[in-house]
Amino acid sequence: MPGGGVMAIEGTADLTRIEAPVTLKAYLICAFAAFGGIFFGYDTGWMSGVLATPYFIQLYTPFKYDFVNGAPINMDPKDFGLASSDKSLMTSILSCGTFFGALLSGDVADFIGRRPTIIMGCAIFSVGCILEIASTNQEALFVIGRLVAGLGVGFISAIIILYMSEISPRKVRGALVSGYQFCITIGILLANCVVYASQGRNDTGSYRIPIGVQFVWAIILAVGLFILPESPRYHVKKGELERAARDLAYVRGQPVDSDYIRDELAEIVANHEYEMQMIPQTSYIGSWMACFKGSITRPNSNLRRTLLGAGLQAMQQLTGINFIFYFGTTFFQQLGTIKNPFLISLVTTLVNVLSTPISFWTVEKYGRRLILITGAIGMIVCQFITAIIGVTAGREDNPNNGPATSAMIAMICIYIFWFATTWGPAGWVIVGECFPLPIRARGVAISTASNWFWNCIIAVITPYMVGNSAGSANLGPKVFFIWGSCCCLSLAFTYFLTPEMKGLTLEQVDKMLEEVSPRKSAGWVPTTTFAAEMGRTHDDKAPLTEHPAGVPETYQPHYQSA
């Protein structure tokens, strides 16, 4: 195997030694990688505010605004805004770009590595920002800029999750990957702060400043990744075992000749060899089709894993969270009883940021599956209460709807709390954990593309669902009946299809999926290592037997009752 001649790849059957102790260095590396979430969050956040900025509205409509008195000229303030079609196009085109960027990123990450792919995404993203800033009232140029920026965000959002999952220690992987979601919330908050500060300007700075700030995130992430190591699992996939050992030692804070590094690397290599026997290498098209092979009824099949990753990301979007962060400002304007919708949007974003760190503890304490189920139930309750208030005491034609409107805002904030502590982070954590190494990059790419596909769909249809322009449904608060119903679907998906992966290495996740159903997964306990399975331990006593197909004989199931 190329690059593997210097060190003997032998591991251990001792489950306590398949990963080095967690060090501060590992925390810091993953924390910096999570910074990529700033891109996702900031780009989500600034668009909502800019769409409601008076100067920006003037650029793309015939309407005029009196900046001295702070009111539109000769028209109802509720009618002062972009057409639903313009809001739909400007918002959704980014998600269209990210969809294709995420799909392409899997191939690029397997070809040149995880780290260079993220750096490439930063460069593409910067080009898109330049085009957005260069536009004045040229809608085509602005839209093209959003599309190009989306390609870059697609690269970053998919491969950051892949990179973090592959380098994070198993005991804190959920918490560290949750940091990605936390950075998304910080990005949204920063965007809302910048938009809030610039929205009253009577010049192009009202939208160019929020867009231009994004260059800072691209520079910080790209420069930092020149310093960080490549994923050791990428090197194993390429057969570069010396480089894998070197980068693993750097990530774990251990000498390259440490027993911990030898044993963990042997486990990764043995698992990769096992998976390669299960997923033989074929043509380029065949390698993509491998993501969809197997029976949908078997939890460990590639098809089922792809359904899990893509389905969770779809369910995450269908909770309706980006309705608040994309169109929250304009939605609050349309309620007619909120004096400062920009401030309310800032409050909802602040709730998102302050709630997310709770998941760092809950995702490791209670596990991914339980918090997803709990979060879905919490969101269902909040969304249906919001919708019921909105069609009763909170109706716009009710002159005394002030308290009801305040109650709706409170329920929306509680709903955001449930999302931020459960579905926001846990959805990304599971996507990074559920795929075997041979298809991991493409599996994560497909899952992230699913996120952006449904993000795009929501961005396209939502302005027509809640807008009050011609051809729009003007649902208002009734839209929360739709989001609540979608959360019921998310609850069912989690209960029947989502396994528990807390505390397992990525290699142990593979074995757990082979042996138990999602509903029993929380009680599964590993009792051997892949190195032992593949005869790669330095204390082996006897060789393994083989089945006629050449696949090593698997050991007996290791499920133990919880």
Side-chain angles (χ1 to χ4, degrees), residues 10-42:
E10 290 185 336
T12 179
D14 185 351
L15 287 165
T16 65
R17 296 189 58 83
I18 58 172
E19 190 172 85
V22 181
T23 62
L24 177 62
K25 190 175 188 178
Y27 280 115
L28 294 178
I29 291 173
C30 292
F32 182 82
F35 186 82
I38 295 284
F39 283 85
F40 190 156
Y42 191 91

Side-chain angles (χ1 to χ4, degrees), residues 9 32 73 91 124 149 151 184 201 207 232 253 258 262 312 323 330 336 358 362 402 411 414 451 478 501 548:
I9 306 301
F32 182 82
I73 299 174
T91 305
I124 297 172
L151 285 170
I184 291 176
R201 295 175 64 102
Y207 69 93
S258 161
R262 180 195 62 187
L312 270 178
F323 163 69
T330 53
I358 297 174
T362 57
M411 293 310 301
I414 297 173
N451 180 292
K478 291 192 287 291
M501 305 177 188

Side-chain angles (χ1 to χ4, degrees), residues 44 103 109 123 143 153 177 181 208 287 301 325 332 378 436 452 540:
T44 299
L103 281 181
V143 167
V153 174
V177 177
Q181 176 66 21
R208 282 177 170 164
S287 64
S301 71
F325 297 128
F332 293 137
W452 287 111
D540 285 329

Side-chain angles (χ1 to χ4, degrees), residues 125-326:
F125 176 79
S126 298
V127 172
C129 288
I130 292 171
L131 295 176
E132 290 176 90
I133 291 174
S135 67
T136 49
N137 61 346
Q138 304 102 327
E139 185 172 2
L141 182 59
F142 186 83
V143 167
I144 292 172
R146 292 278 288 167
L147 181 65
V148 174
L151 285 170
V153 174
F155 272 56
I156 296 165
S157 61
I159 306 307
I160 280 288
I161 290 295
L162 176 64
Y163 181 71
M164 291 183 66
S165 296
E166 290 189 337
I167 68 173
S168 296
R170 58 173 172 150
K171 293 180 180 178
V172 291
R173 186 177 60 241
L176 291 175
V177 177
S178 294
Y180 175 76
Q181 176 66 21
F182 182 53
C183 285
I184 291 176
T185 67
I186 292 176
I188 296 173
L189 177 62
L190 291 173
N192 276 270
C193 290
V194 174
V195 170
Y196 187 73
S198 63
Q199 51 96 12
R201 295 175 64 102
N202 186 17
D203 56 34
T204 58
S206 63
Y207 69 93
R208 282 177 170 164
I209 291 174
I211 297 173
V213 169
Q214 295 177 107
F215 283 111
V216 177
W217 320 138
I219 292 170
I220 293 174
L221 185 62
V223 171
L225 281 167
F226 273 109
I227 302 171
L228 295 184
E230 181 55 84
S231 165
R233 286 177 168 87
Y234 166 74
H235 288 311
V236 169
K237 183 178 174 67
K238 290 293 187 179
E240 301 165 344
L241 301 188
E242 290 182 44
R243 293 184 178 182
R246 181 194 63 202
D247 285 342
L248 184 61
Y250 184 91
V251 170
R252 297 290 183 254
Q254 299 281 335
V256 72
D257 58 353
S258 161
D259 286 346
Y260 282 116
I261 298 305
R262 180 195 62 187
D263 291 342
E264 183 173 355
L265 182 59
E267 183 73 357
I268 295 171
V269 171
N271 172 256
H272 182 55
E273 290 176 350
Y274 178 84
E275 293 294 347
M276 289 295 287
Q277 292 174 338
M278 302 294 105
I279 311 171
Q281 297 300 288
T282 59
S283 64
Y284 174 76
I285 298 299
S287 64
W288 271 102
M289 294 306 296
C291 295
F292 303 96
K293 286 187 175 180
S295 170
I296 197 170
T297 61
R298 291 176 54 236
N300 69 317
S301 71
N302 289 352
L303 174 60
R304 182 71 170 265
R305 296 184 199 222
T306 301
L307 175 63
L308 173 63
L312 270 178
Q313 291 298 299
M315 296 297 114
Q316 187 193 69
Q317 287 300 307
L318 291 173
T319 61
I321 192 66
N322 278 332
F323 163 69
I324 300 296
F325 297 128
Y326 276 151

Side-chain angles (χ1 to χ4, degrees), residues 42-61:
Y42 191 91
D43 216 276
T44 299
W46 72 258
M47 197 62 195
S48 171
V50 166
L51 289 177
T53 299
Y55 187 86
F56 191 78
I57 292 173
Q58 283 190 145
L59 285 177
Y60 296 99
T61 68

Side-chain angles (χ1 to χ4, degrees), residues 224-496:
L225 281 167
F226 273 109
I227 302 171
L228 295 184
E230 181 55 84
S231 165
R233 286 177 168 87
Y234 166 74
H235 288 311
V236 169
K237 183 178 174 67
K238 290 293 187 179
E240 301 165 344
L241 301 188
E242 290 182 44
R243 293 184 178 182
R246 181 194 63 202
D247 285 342
L248 184 61
Y250 184 91
V251 170
R252 297 290 183 254
Q254 299 281 335
V256 72
D257 58 353
S258 161
D259 286 346
Y260 282 116
I261 298 305
R262 180 195 62 187
D263 291 342
E264 183 173 355
L265 182 59
E267 183 73 357
I268 295 171
V269 171
N271 172 256
H272 182 55
E273 290 176 350
Y274 178 84
E275 293 294 347
M276 289 295 287
Q277 292 174 338
M278 302 294 105
I279 311 171
Q281 297 300 288
T282 59
S283 64
Y284 174 76
I285 298 299
S287 64
W288 271 102
M289 294 306 296
C291 295
F292 303 96
K293 286 187 175 180
S295 170
I296 197 170
T297 61
R298 291 176 54 236
N300 69 317
S301 71
N302 289 352
L303 174 60
R304 182 71 170 265
R305 296 184 199 222
T306 301
L307 175 63
L308 173 63
L312 270 178
Q313 291 298 299
M315 296 297 114
Q316 187 193 69
Q317 287 300 307
L318 291 173
T319 61
I321 192 66
N322 278 332
F323 163 69
I324 300 296
F325 297 128
Y326 276 151
F327 304 107
T329 306
T330 53
F331 173 74
F332 293 137
Q333 280 179 332
Q334 291 168 4
L335 290 179
T337 56
I338 297 177
K339 295 181 180 179
N340 193 338
F342 286 93
L343 182 60
I344 298 300
S345 290
L346 193 57
V347 169
T348 58
T349 304
L350 192 60
V351 171
N352 194 28
V353 172
L354 296 178
S355 301
T356 301
I358 297 174
S359 68
F360 297 176
W361 177 70
T362 57
V363 76
E364 297 297 355
K365 174 67 175 178
Y366 300 107
R368 291 75 160 134
R369 176 181 166 85
L370 181 59
I371 67 171
L372 285 173
I373 291 173
T374 305
I377 293 171
M379 289 189 291
I380 289 168
V381 172
C382 292
Q383 288 171 329
F384 280 124
I385 291 176
T386 301
I388 291 169
I389 294 174
V391 298
T392 54
R395 294 194 316 274
E396 187 178 348
D397 57 3
N398 180 3
N400 300 313
N401 67 354
T405 301
S406 298
M408 290 168 60
I409 293 173
M411 293 310 301
I412 289 172
C413 288
I414 297 173
Y415 147 64
I416 292 172
F417 164 82
W418 281 115
F419 176 86
T421 55
T422 59
W423 275 84
W428 291 111
V429 172
I430 291 176
V431 163
E433 295 175 331
C434 68
F435 294 100
L437 183 56
I439 64 165
R440 186 171 294 145
R442 286 175 175 147
V444 172
I446 291 170
S447 301
T448 308
S450 171
N451 180 292
W452 287 111
F453 173 80
W454 289 101
N455 188 304
C456 181
I457 295 298
I458 290 170
V460 169
I461 66 175
T462 299
Y464 296 101
M465 291 166 64
V466 298
N468 53 14
S469 59
S472 298
N474 195 19
L475 292 177
K478 291 192 287 291
V479 73
F480 284 97
F481 282 121
I482 296 175
W483 304 135
S485 299
C486 289
C487 282
C488 292
L489 183 61
S490 300
L491 176 61
F493 184 93
T494 303
Y495 181 77
F496 290 107

